[in-house]
């Protein structure tokens, strides 16, 4: 039911804005009070040993694409100038294997499986859904870290699909580049490789080594500036740099949180989600 999924996502973004508006009124800007949602999880669920599989839409690329677009557009809204929140389809890409080795696993597919199985939902949410953020994956793909893959993050995502938003790493994924994948030996090199390959934002602390990376001529400041521009564009499109009286969606109040209408939608969604085994 794509229409229902879209409605659910719209409610999620409304309640997120309500929490954000209330938090700002208290002078708080903490975790879980912001406007960048790390969802939907649109990985193709092929291996039951993966602990995040229950978050996905299953093993079918068409179904996942359809519901992913409905969810992304519901979250981000239809305002011509501003995002209600920013959606982040994840984890890009070829990420659905066993949990235990996700930080050092090298995924392999042929081109057909990549394009027919693992990429359709990401393409749909970016091209059709206009998702403004994408989260990279922990694993390697064909030898390169998915968080520092020119093929995935630049050639496919930006050049072929026209993605104009920002890429955020999964938490600790830049650390994995040198610590577990051992693609490079130092955090400075890992940070430089990730930024240069198209990862704009690091969930973790490895980008704190970018200063040393510049000093060691591992990366140029202009390359970092490109990532910063993408991140500030996201803040602008969320209205975060506006004057207080010109912040979009500022009329959404805490009265919407768990409102009767939203509770009824949650109940309806739960009923429609039941599956008989």
């Amino acid at each position: 039911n794509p229409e229902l999924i879209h409605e659910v996502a719209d409610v999620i973004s409304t309640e997120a804005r309500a929490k954000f508006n209330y938090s700002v009124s208290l002078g708080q800007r903490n975790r879980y009070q912001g406007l960048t949602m790390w969802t939907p999880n649109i990985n193709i669920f092929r291996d039951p040993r993966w602990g995040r599989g229950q978050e996905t839409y299953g093993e079918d690329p068409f179904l996942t694409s359809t519901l992913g677009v409905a969810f992304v557009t519901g979250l981000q809204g239809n305002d011509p100038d501003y995002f209600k929140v920013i959606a982040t389809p994840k984890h890009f890409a070829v990420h659905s294997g066993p949990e235990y080795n996700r930080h050092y696993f090298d995924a392999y597919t042929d081109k057909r499986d990549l394009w027919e199985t693992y990429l359709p939902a990401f393409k749909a949410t970016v091209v059709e859904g206009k998702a403004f953020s994408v989260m990279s994956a922990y694993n390697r793909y064909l030898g390169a870290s998915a968080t520092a893959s020119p093929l995935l993050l630049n050639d496919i995502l930006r050049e072929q699909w026209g993605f104009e938003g920002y890429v955020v790493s999964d938490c600790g994924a830049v650390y994995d580049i040198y610590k577990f994948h051992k693609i490079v030996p130092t955090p400075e090199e890992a940070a430089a490789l990730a930024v240069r390959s198209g990862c704009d934002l690091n969930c973790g602390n490895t980008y704190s080594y970018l200063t040393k990376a510049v000093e060691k001529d591992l990366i140029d400041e202009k390359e970092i500036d490109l990532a910063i521009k993408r991140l500030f564009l996201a803040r602008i499109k969320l209205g975060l740099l506006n004057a207080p009286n010109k912040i979009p969606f500022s009329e959404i109040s805490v009265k919407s949180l768990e409102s009767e209408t939203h509770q009824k939608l949650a109940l309806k969604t739960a009923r429609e989600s039941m599956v008989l085994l």
Side-chain angles (χ1 to χ4, degrees):
N1 190 336
E3 292 77 17
L4 179 62
I5 292 293
H6 180 89
E7 191 177 355
V8 167
D10 181 50
V11 165
I12 291 171
S13 61
T14 294
E15 295 205 358
R17 273 284 176 175
K19 288 178 64 178
F20 171 79
N21 292 339
Y22 180 68
S23 300
V24 169
S25 73
L26 299 177
Q28 298 177 357
R29 295 182 183 272
N30 301 319
R31 192 178 185 186
Y32 305 126
Q33 296 173 345
L35 297 172
T36 51
M37 308 285 103
W38 288 356
T39 187
N41 187 339
I42 55 171
N43 290 129
I44 299 303
F45 189 34
R46 278 187 164 179
D47 192 324
R49 293 172 295 174
W50 183 42
R52 305 289 292 273
Q54 76 282 357
E55 299 175 14
T56 74
Y57 297 123
E59 73 280 6
D60 184 81
F62 178 76
L63 175 68
T64 301
S65 299
T66 302
L67 298 185
V69 170
F71 198 86
V72 166
T73 54
L75 281 179
Q76 296 194 157
N78 56 9
D79 188 282
D81 299 312
Y82 296 102
F83 292 121
K84 198 172 175 190
V85 303
I86 286 178
T88 309
K90 63 184 185 181
H91 309 81
F92 190 62
V94 197
H95 179 76
S96 60
E99 190 79 5
Y100 77 95
N101 65 354
R102 60 182 178 159
H103 292 279
Y104 52 88
F105 176 65
D106 186 6
Y108 170 82
T109 69
D110 57 26
K111 288 185 178 180
R112 178 173 180 174
D113 205 22
L114 174 67
W115 284 96
E116 292 188 358
T117 304
Y118 292 103
L119 293 186
F122 284 101
K123 182 179 181 180
T125 51
V126 167
V127 176
E128 297 175 44
K130 306 297 182 184
F132 203 72
S133 178
V134 170
M135 179 179 283
S136 66
Y138 285 127
N139 56 278
R140 276 175 287 158
Y141 178 64
L142 303 183
S145 165
T147 299
S149 169
L151 171 66
L152 294 175
L153 303 184
N154 280 323
D155 295 354
I156 294 175
L157 183 61
R158 291 196 168 94
E159 293 184 13
Q160 295 191 44
W161 296 347
F163 178 67
E164 296 180 349
Y166 67 92
V167 173
V168 57
S169 77
D170 202 345
C171 295
V174 180
Y175 174 82
D176 288 350
I177 293 172
Y178 76 96
K179 187 65 175 180
F180 298 116
H181 293 309
K182 301 187 184 300
I183 294 171
V184 293
T186 67
E188 295 94 329
E189 291 170 284
L193 181 62
V195 172
R196 180 174 288 124
S197 300
C199 183
D200 305 297
L201 183 63
N202 174 212
C203 177
N205 58 16
T206 309
Y207 276 8
S208 63
Y209 289 90
L210 281 171
T211 302
K212 291 184 179 179
V214 171
E215 293 172 354
K216 293 181 177 181
D217 292 325
L218 297 172
I219 191 171
D220 189 272
E221 280 192 52
K222 291 182 179 179
E223 295 174 282
I224 301 173
D225 288 344
L226 179 58
I228 292 171
K229 288 178 181 178
R230 291 169 180 154
L231 295 170
F232 267 93
L233 180 58
R235 297 184 71 181
I236 290 168
K237 292 176 76 67
L238 285 169
L240 299 183
L241 302 186
N242 290 20
N245 62 337
K246 293 185 179 181
I247 294 177
F249 312 108
S250 58
E251 77 284 356
I252 300 175
S253 74
V254 290
K255 293 180 180 179
S256 68
L257 297 178
E258 295 189 276
S259 66
E260 183 178 354
T261 301
H262 292 180
Q263 289 190 41
K264 287 181 178 179
L265 179 65
L267 179 59
K268 176 184 178 182
T269 307
R271 285 171 171 160
E272 291 206 15
S273 298
M274 289 181 182
V275 177
L276 299 179
L277 298 179

